[in-house]
Structures are given as structure tokens and as C-alpha cells.
Amino acid sequence: MGLDLEAGIALVALLPFVAAILAPTIQRFTRPFAGWILALVPGAIFLFLLRLVEPVLANGSVSARIGWIPAYDLDLSFYVDGLSLVFALTISGVGALVVLYAGAYLKGHQHLGRFFAFLLAFMGAMLGLVLADNMLALFMFWELTSISSFLLIGFDHERQAARRGAIQALVITNIGGMALLAGVVLVHQATGVWDLSALGDELRGTQLYGWALAAFLLAAFTKSAQLPFHLWLPNAMEAPTPVSAFLHSATMVQAGVYLLARVTPWLGGTPSWSTVLVLFGGATLIWGGMGALRQTDLKQMLAQTTIASLGLSVLLLGLGTTYAVAGAVLYFVAHALYKAALFMAVGAVDHEAGTRDITVLGGLADKMPVTFIGAAMAALAMIGLPLTLGYFAKEEMYLGLLHWDWRDVAVLVVLVVGNAILAGIAMIVMVRPFLGPIVPLPKTVHEAPIAMLAGPILLGAAGIVAGVMPDWLGQTVLEPGASAILEAEVESHLSFAINPASALIWLSLATWALGLVIYRQHNMLRTVLRRFANWLDWNADKVFDAVMFGLIRFAAAVTRLLHHGKLEVYLVTAFAALALALVMPMVLLGGYAVLQPTAELGDWSAKLRWPDMTLYEWGVIVLALVGLGAVLAAPTRLIAVVALGIQGSAVALIFLLFGAPDLAFTQFMVEILSVVILALVMTRLRLDERDHRELEDLARDGTLALVCGTAVSLLLMVVVSGELNTRLSDFFTATSVPIAHGANIVNVILVDYRGFDTLGEISVVLGAGIAIMALLRRKPRPLPEAAAPLQAPEEVS
């Protein structure tokens, strides 16, 4: 494969981020055409990915690699096989139409440029996620989807509901993000590799399999809104409709499904995997379907059906059979096409009619015929009628469960009921707003602009075109996608053939018949389900609010306990912790043993002896002792601060005498600045001139000072008692000039080898300087005047 394709694969994941940076500027200068121009970015990505279809079908996969952290053998690697290509094509194709739609839907919005930036960054994160081969890169893109979705859901940040929905989505999906990171680390610990494509089935035989399985399932369940983590998805409807159309169809909510499909070869196929995924997926399918039946808001109905559809996909991956996996691949594409089209159609209805409530909508087909056609094509695919992509997805689901084992029958019943609910909702969305008599509406209804119609028409038509081309569908979508998940050759058997003797046609008829019953009895079912919900008086939202409220109260209690504003307690706690940190490890690990006199030295008198020093060196020691006495005997706080500088000056002289003039200069500067700044600050604070302490305070503080000082001295003695390892200093000496081009090794260490550490220190000093400046410039508050003495009330005669 040519270098241009490899570079292009990496560019696919990075180009949307570049476009996101430029989006506000582009929107500012090309206001009416910004959506059309920015849609060229995902459109170009889609066309490039089409070039990869042929090499992927021929070779199975295409990869690209960029050097990332060579020292740790980490590369930013990308891997395109049938699974990732299906997802990437769907993301970019739907994304192009969503960007175009957003330009018209939010036309005139003052923050449209910002919205385009968030949307393109979200798209880039999803493309990077499905194309990433390195697990750490996968985690990085995974978290970027959470952050960008938080910005999109909370785009209308002035509304409390939007802020709450964004925070809820961020909290729940970030729980999964931390689980994913833990899973990645566990897999690397067990296998020693970072790339997904290099993993085999060796993980199943390790003790870490159970922990890794739990971590990856938690990550997938939070992202793909499986029970009990489903609550964030309906509340994400607070985002503008373009976000809903993209998020619910091909992006964030499908990230968990993609993760489960990607890890199937080395985590799937076990009883634990199958049991958990089938149970939770089936429960989510039914729960989401019933949630949709309770709604009258068209967006909420579609959001709840997304939960059901995600449960359906998880259930199919849990079954793990060839037919089930093939059904999952086809269903992902079918769902992405019809769900994005339906959200766009609903957004057009809301945009033009001013409401999404099905109880007050009707007869819009005459006023919005093109929108109705797009919605109808999408709804037919959602129902799963023949000649649509949804039909083949549904047939594949049922085909693998015709063994009539009681487990298969139970799963089959769940699938039929779930698909019937989805079919009933599709009929409601297609018929209730558009057909029937025209009703009065808040706005004068007219057809949506062409940029808002392109999505429903093209995506709805794509679901039908794919359905009338079963051979092409099987060869380019089903076979490569399912083969990548199962890591085995899968052959397509899609055809128009209908066998009346087969149970498949009767299961489909049962699904459609039950869906029709649900459509006709929708009002009654909605009433019953709402009454049940009111009687239950419990939902996941209330649990989330209770947990968050409890967490906030717990944080407040901890804050009151630890941050009470008493500086004295802070200092005592800090120095007590320092003393424990210095002493306990040395005692428990026997670190002080090296200070014992050896057999050759004999007794302590040979171990403890005065060093051979010159007169001026003794002078420095005497200066330090004088400084110590001055600090202890200082009559006022200010004198104690000035006397403390004597200690620092003595240390600087020691550096100077032992051949470190640069350290001595630094120490002198630190001491001078410290004394000056402390003296200035103390003149601005209302402190007593003298430090009055009770006897118990003096005993406590003196004991802490002695313990900390002794512990530091003993630690230094232990350090210098060991053998000096010059490996690091030899490295600095050998590489300072050729690599860092600096002859002053200390300077090179500070600005090159420890550059980030030095930057952090500078930042801390800068922050402290700003705080001190603010404190010095603060005007002292005048003392309150003494209150006048109270006068006794006059006696009344």
C-alpha cells in the first residue's frame, strides 16, 4: 500500500480537529455558507475511506503508525479492518449531513461557530476511537468523546436543564472512562502489548481475565447507556437536534457497542461474557421500548428507542454466533441511517411547526411533503419491512435462534417484543405528525430549507437502496464487518428469497402484527405505563440526584473538617505528617541500621568524630549556631524572620566553600527575597508583635521541630553512608554538550533534563508572587468604632 494511504489514515483522525480550530473563523467570514463549506471536511474523509474498501476486502486490514513515545515502545497506531471501516464510513457520511443540517437549523445563532467547532471535534474523537489500534490512544479518543459531548449537550448553557444533562452525561461516561483505563492497563499487564491487533486469546487463561472483563463491560455499558447507566441518554436531548441526530445514530452511544465488538475475539466466547451481555442487553431493549411508549415528545421517543436499539446490539454481541454478529453489523448501519434521518425530520418539524408533541401535531404531510418522504423511508427501515436494510438486519437476528432450545426461545421472545415496540414507535413517528387532519400550530408551517432536507432524504434512501442490493450489502458490509469481529471468514447469504415454510417469515409477520397493535393502542399503553411510573415513584434520575446530592454534602463535610481556616492546625498536621513520613519507613524497613558502627570501627567513639575542618569552615558552623540562637531568642516576630536569614546565609556559604557558587548565589537570592517579602507581609497583617504561646503549645511545637529536624538529619546521614552511584551524573556529563549544547551542567539539568519540573517551580513562585502582591496592595479595613455605652432607660414616674 502506498505511503499516501498510510498518511491519509492518520489524517482522517486528525483533520476534524484542525477543522474544529478553524470553524469559528470560517463561520465568521462565510456565514450563510459555513455549513456547506465545513461539511466538505467529513465529506472528503468519507470519499477517502471509500478508497480503503478495496484494499480491506482484498487484504483484511490496512494500518498506519506514527512514532509517539519511542522510549516506551508506544506508537500512535491506526488499524482499519472491516469493523472499523464500517463505523468510520458511517460516522463521516452521517457527519457530513449533520454539519450541513446544523448550518441551517442554527442559522443566525450567535455561537454557531463555536457549535461547529464542538461538533467537528466530536466527530474527530469518534473517528480516532474507531480507527485507533493503540489502546492508550483508544482511551484518549474515548475521553475526548465524553468531553466534546459535554460541550455539545450543554451548548445552550443558559438553561439549567442543558447544564444538568451535560454534567450527568460527563459523570456517568467518565466512570466508564476510568474503567476503560483500568482495563487497558490490566490487558497490558497480562499480555505485554498495547496494540489491539496484536492481541490473541491468551488473556482468557490468565487470572486477570475477570477483572479486565468487568472493566471493559463497565466502560461499554456507561457509554452505550445500558441498564442501569441509561439515564444520561434521554437527558442528552437537551442538546440541539443536530447533536441528537449525530450522537444517537453513529457516534458516542455506539462507542460502547464498537468496544464490545472490538474486544470480542479476546474477551468474548465465555459464559460470563454471554450471560452478562444477553441479560443486560435484553433488559435494556425492553426498558427502552417501554420508555418510548410513555413519551409524547418526538425527540424523547426517539431517544428512548436508541436505548432499546443499543440493548439489542449488546444482546446480539453477547450471543456471539455468526448470525447474531452479522445481524449486529447490519443493524448498526441500519440504525445509524434511519435514526439520524428521523431525528433530522423531527428537528425540521420542531423548527417549522414550533412543537414536537404528537398529541398536537397532524396533517403536516401537505405542508412538508419532502420531510414526510424522508421520515417515511427511515420509518420503513426501522419497522424492518422488505426491501430495506432493517429487514435483513432483523432476519439475521432471528436466523441464529431457530434451534428451539428454551434459552433461544426466551431470547427470541425478547427480540420479537423489542422489535415490535420499535416498529410501533416508527409507525407513530411516521403517521401521527404527518397524516390526518391539519391542526392549529404555534407557527405557520412551511417546508424546511434544502440543507435540512438533504439528511432525511439521502439517509432514508440509503436504507432502502442498501436493502435492494443484498449481494453488495453482504460483500461490502456484512462479510468484512462480521469477519473482523469473529476473526473468522464469514460468508453472506442475504437474498430476497422468502420461504413460507421457514419460521423466519412468520416471526417477521408476528413482529409487524404486534407492532401494528402497539401503534393502534399507543394512547392506552402510554396511560398505563405513566400510571405505573407514578405509582412506582422511582426512576434512575432520582437515584442520580440523590447520589450527587449525597456526594456534594459529603464533600462539604470533608471540606469543613479539613479546611476550617485555622493555620495553626494546618501547620501542625503538615509537620506531623512529615515526621511520620520520614521516620516510619526508616524504622519499618531498617534504614537506620547502616548508621550502626561496623566491626572494623569498633565502638561509637570511632564512628562519631569531628571532621577535619579549617578555621573559616568552623566560622560558618558558628554562624549557623548563632542564627539558630537568634531565632529562638528573638523577642518579636519580625526579628525572628530577620534572624532566620542568618541560617540561610550559612547554608549559602557552605555551598560556596564546597565549589557550588551557582547554588550559593541562588540560596542568597532566596534568603534575601524571603526575608524582604515576609517582612513586608507581616507589616500588612494584623499580628501581635510577640508570639504568645501556652506551655502545651510550646511543648507540642518544640517536639515536632526536634523530631522533624532529627529525622531529616538521620535521613541525610543514611544517604551519605551509602555508596555513591555516579551513573546519572556521568550521563549528564557525557550528554550535556552534545545533546543540550550547554557546558554548565547544572543549568542544562534545570532547563533541559528537568525543564518541566523547573517550569512547575516557576509557576508556583509566580502564583505566590501574585498572591503576595495582591495582599500587599490590599487596603486595610478600618477598625470598627467602639460602640457607644448603652444608656439605662429613664424611669417613668
Side-chain angles (χ1 to χ4, degrees), residues 22-32 34 38 112-114 116:
L22 300 176
T25 303
I26 294 174
Q27 194 275 332
R28 184 180 306 164
F29 291 103
T30 63
R31 290 184 183 274
L38 292 172
L112 181 56
R114 181 191 303 172
F116 279 134

Side-chain angles (χ1 to χ4, degrees), residues 360-380:
V360 297
L361 286 171
L364 295 180
D366 293 336
K367 301 290 186 179
M368 306 177 68
V370 181
T371 302
F372 170 63
I373 292 172
M377 290 190 294
L380 293 177

Side-chain angles (χ1 to χ4, degrees), residues 7 25 38 76 92 141 143 170 234 241 261 294 384 410-411 417 446 596 608 642 684 749:
T25 303
L38 292 172
L76 187 58
S92 57
F141 287 116
E143 288 299 274
L170 185 68
T241 297
R294 291 204 311 268
V411 174
V417 173
H446 55 80
Q596 297 291 335
L608 300 176
V642 175
R684 309 287 293 187
I749 292 173

Side-chain angles (χ1 to χ4, degrees), residues 316-395:
L316 294 174
L317 291 173
L319 293 175
T321 63
T322 302
Y323 293 120
V325 170
V329 173
L330 293 179
Y331 188 70
F332 162 73
V333 181
H335 175 265
L337 296 178
Y338 74 65
K339 187 57 64 72
L342 287 175
F343 264 113
M344 292 182 190
V346 167
V349 169
D350 186 26
H351 192 268
E352 304 304 330
T355 181
R356 302 190 303 260
D357 193 336
I358 60 171
T359 62
V360 297
L361 286 171
L364 295 180
D366 293 336
K367 301 290 186 179
M368 306 177 68
V370 181
T371 302
F372 170 63
I373 292 172
M377 290 190 294
L380 293 177
M382 185 173 177
I383 296 170
L385 292 178
L387 304 182
T388 66
L389 179 54
Y391 170 76
F392 289 110
K394 177 174 55 62
E395 296 292 290

Side-chain angles (χ1 to χ4, degrees), residues 550-575:
L551 182 63
I552 292 172
R553 293 197 63 178
F554 174 74
V558 172
T559 301
R560 289 192 298 269
L561 176 65
L562 300 179
H563 297 276
H564 38 65
K566 298 179 180 178
L567 181 60
E568 180 182 7
V569 178
Y570 292 163
L571 292 175
V572 170
T573 304
F575 280 101

Side-chain angles (χ1 to χ4, degrees), residues 295-625:
Q295 309 299 324
T296 58
D297 185 310
L298 286 170
K299 278 186 68 174
Q300 279 294 338
M301 294 176 72
L302 294 177
Q304 296 288 347
T305 60
T306 299
I307 295 176
S309 297
L310 294 170
L312 176 58
S313 297
V314 169
L315 185 152
L316 294 174
L317 291 173
L319 293 175
T321 63
T322 302
Y323 293 120
V325 170
V329 173
L330 293 179
Y331 188 70
F332 162 73
V333 181
H335 175 265
L337 296 178
Y338 74 65
K339 187 57 64 72
L342 287 175
F343 264 113
M344 292 182 190
V346 167
V349 169
D350 186 26
H351 192 268
E352 304 304 330
T355 181
R356 302 190 303 260
D357 193 336
I358 60 171
T359 62
V360 297
L361 286 171
L364 295 180
D366 293 336
K367 301 290 186 179
M368 306 177 68
V370 181
T371 302
F372 170 63
I373 292 172
M377 290 190 294
L380 293 177
M382 185 173 177
I383 296 170
L385 292 178
L387 304 182
T388 66
L389 179 54
Y391 170 76
F392 289 110
K394 177 174 55 62
E395 296 292 290
E396 290 295 305
M397 300 176 199
Y398 295 161
L399 191 58
L401 295 170
L402 301 181
H403 305 108
W404 307 118
D405 177 81
W406 72 269
R407 298 179 184 85
D408 292 342
V409 172
V411 174
L412 197 57
V413 170
V414 172
L415 287 178
V416 170
V417 173
N419 281 320
I421 296 175
L422 295 177
I425 297 297
M427 296 178 197
I428 294 169
V429 175
M430 178 178 64
V431 174
R432 293 290 177 86
F434 295 100
L435 301 182
I438 299 177
V439 297
L441 292 170
K443 297 171 64 176
T444 301
V445 181
H446 55 80
E447 188 58 272
I450 187 173
M452 294 177 62
L453 296 175
I457 293 297
L458 292 178
L459 294 175
I464 294 178
V465 170
V468 299
M469 302 171 63
D471 293 337
W472 174 86
L473 180 65
Q475 293 173 4
T476 58
V477 177
L478 188 152
E479 290 182 1
S483 298
I485 296 175
L486 296 173
E487 290 192 342
E489 200 68 29
V490 175
E491 293 185 1
S492 172
H493 51 271
L494 302 181
S495 70
F496 289 125
I498 296 178
N499 182 9
S502 172
L504 279 179
I505 185 62
W506 298 106
L507 289 171
S508 295
L509 290 173
T511 302
W512 299 327
L514 184 57
L516 182 60
V517 172
I518 291 173
Y519 163 73
R520 296 181 64 87
Q521 301 298 324
H522 174 231
N523 293 332
M524 183 270 291
L525 292 173
R526 181 175 68 243
T527 302
V528 171
L529 290 172
R530 284 187 170 185
R531 286 178 178 176
F532 176 75
N534 292 334
W535 171 81
L536 190 62
D537 195 28
W538 175 90
N539 57 51
D541 258 338
K542 291 184 178 180
V543 175
F544 177 84
D545 290 339
V547 171
M548 291 300 296
F549 181 71
L551 182 63
I552 292 172
R553 293 197 63 178
F554 174 74
V558 172
T559 301
R560 289 192 298 269
L561 176 65
L562 300 179
H563 297 276
H564 38 65
K566 298 179 180 178
L567 181 60
E568 180 182 7
V569 178
Y570 292 163
L571 292 175
V572 170
T573 304
F575 280 101
L578 175 63
L580 289 175
L582 291 172
V583 175
M584 294 305 296
M586 300 296 290
V587 172
L588 296 176
L589 300 177
Y592 294 134
V594 299
L595 301 179
Q596 297 291 335
T598 61
E600 292 79 6
L601 290 176
D603 56 12
W604 277 96
S605 61
K607 183 75 171 179
L608 300 176
R609 54 189 177 85
W610 290 107
D612 186 13
M613 296 191 302
T614 61
L615 180 62
Y616 53 82
E617 291 172 344
W618 279 110
V620 174
I621 299 298
V622 171
L623 179 63
L625 294 175

